[in-house]
Amino acid sequence: MGAGHSHSHDHGHGHSHAPADFGNAFLIGIILNTAFVIVEAAYGWISGSMALIADAGHNLSDVLALLLAWGASVAARRPACERFTYGFKSSTILAALANAGLLLVAIGAILFETLHRMAEPAPVQGETMAIVAGIGILVNAGTAALFLRGQHDINIRGAFLHMAADALVSLGVVIAGLAIIWTGERWIDPAVSLVIVAVIGWGTWGLLKDSVAMSMLGVPKGISENKVRAYLSGLPGVDAVHDLHIWPMSTTETALTAHLVMPAGHPGDGFLQRLAGELDRHHRIGHPTIQIETSRAACGTGC
């Protein structure tokens, strides 16, 4: 460094926000939904209901999504090693991205078959539709309840939203089955399938957008870079802030690096410990790394 420039590098680490243990919830959800997918697909084929088959395809993608999210939550708990110094926390982000990809594939497959059925409506057993979909409401609503807590984790939130949406979709299939019984109209079944595709697409867009942003190391949702910068700039003795970076380490943990220009000199370890605690409590940033600099010249045009 140039003469007269003094630099100190300090690391403050707040509390960990590792994913809560949802192992039992994932296991129960996977078993229930796998069994229901088999039943729903079988009766969808027997009854000729595209709505049931579409819902079964969606439920199958949700089973795969639950497996991915569960695997990622287990991997996130593995300790850091020489090569992966952050551990495997970011696997939760990859799982969320893969989850969104699975849903896009499901949408394409269901939409293709639904459009074919719209052109050539087939006879449908409304009673079977209503009964099987009614069971689906219970299975999906029960699974969603298992993930009601832990909404701060995008993987857990994704699992909850998928199951809750499935319960609503199953309700729609029940209504469609009753409508077919009352009217005998064949077009109702593929029309409901289109509604299912729209519901899946709406939920997938939000999950895809969030997971892509996290994989691109964007500032996590709910954290304001401007507010963090303003907080750091307002600290006693801080003359400038530069090289501020905020990124997700996982779906629940956030890291930060920043350079603080403090002409009066290094404020001591107590200052850094308090700063780490405040960033954790008020900004949900649990892994801050702060560099203290005593001259504006160190940041060039970045100040």
Side-chain angles (χ1 to χ4, degrees), residues 18-19 71-81 84-91 253:
S73 68
V74 171
R77 289 182 174 79
R78 291 186 61 185
C81 61
F84 298 97
T85 56
Y86 275 135
F88 296 85
K89 300 178 188 299
S90 60
S91 61
E253 298 180 69

Side-chain angles (χ1 to χ4, degrees), residues 28 64 100 125 128 142 160 198 220 227 244-245 260 277 280-281:
I28 294 170
L64 297 176
Q125 298 175 15
T128 303
F160 170 78
K227 289 182 179 179
L244 172 62
H245 302 286
L260 306 184
D280 189 27
R281 282 189 294 274

Side-chain angles (χ1 to χ4, degrees), residues 252-278:
T252 58
E253 298 180 69
T254 303
L256 168 150
T257 58
H259 295 214
L260 306 184
V261 178
M262 305 185 75
H266 195 289
D269 291 343
F271 169 85
L272 293 173
Q273 290 170 359
R274 289 191 298 274
L275 173 56
E278 289 298 304

Side-chain angles (χ1 to χ4, degrees), residues 201-224:
W202 178 262
T204 300
W205 171 246
L207 182 64
L208 180 64
K209 184 173 64 174
D210 289 348
S211 57
V212 167
M214 295 186 88
S215 66
M216 294 290 289
L217 303 184
V219 177
K221 208 171 186 179
I223 297 176
S224 168

Side-chain angles (χ1 to χ4, degrees), residues 15-98:
H15 305 294
S16 171
H17 296 285
D21 185 5
F22 282 85
N24 290 335
F26 280 120
L27 181 60
I28 294 170
I30 288 168
I31 292 173
L32 283 176
N33 282 273
T34 299
F36 181 65
V37 164
I38 295 171
V39 171
E40 188 172 35
Y43 276 97
W45 182 265
I46 293 169
S47 67
S49 171
M50 188 57 214
L52 280 180
I53 294 174
D55 196 32
H58 183 206
N59 275 290
L60 177 60
S61 72
D62 284 345
V63 170
L64 297 176
L66 288 174
L67 284 168
L68 275 172
W70 190 10
S73 68
V74 171
R77 289 182 174 79
R78 291 186 61 185
C81 61
E82 184 178 351
R83 185 175 184 187
F84 298 97
T85 56
Y86 275 135
F88 296 85
K89 300 178 188 299
S90 60
S91 61
T92 55
I93 298 173
L94 295 177
L97 192 59

Side-chain angles (χ1 to χ4, degrees), residues 237-242 259-264 291-299 303:
V238 174
D239 189 49
V241 177
H242 69 101
H259 295 214
L260 306 184
V261 178
M262 305 185 75
Q291 176 172 314
I292 304 297
E293 297 167 349
T294 58
S295 170
R296 269 182 173 265
C299 63
C303 290

Side-chain angles (χ1 to χ4, degrees), residues 179-180 182-189:
I180 290 172
W182 293 332
T183 66
E185 296 290 340
R186 295 181 179 183
W187 61 266
I188 294 175
D189 178 62

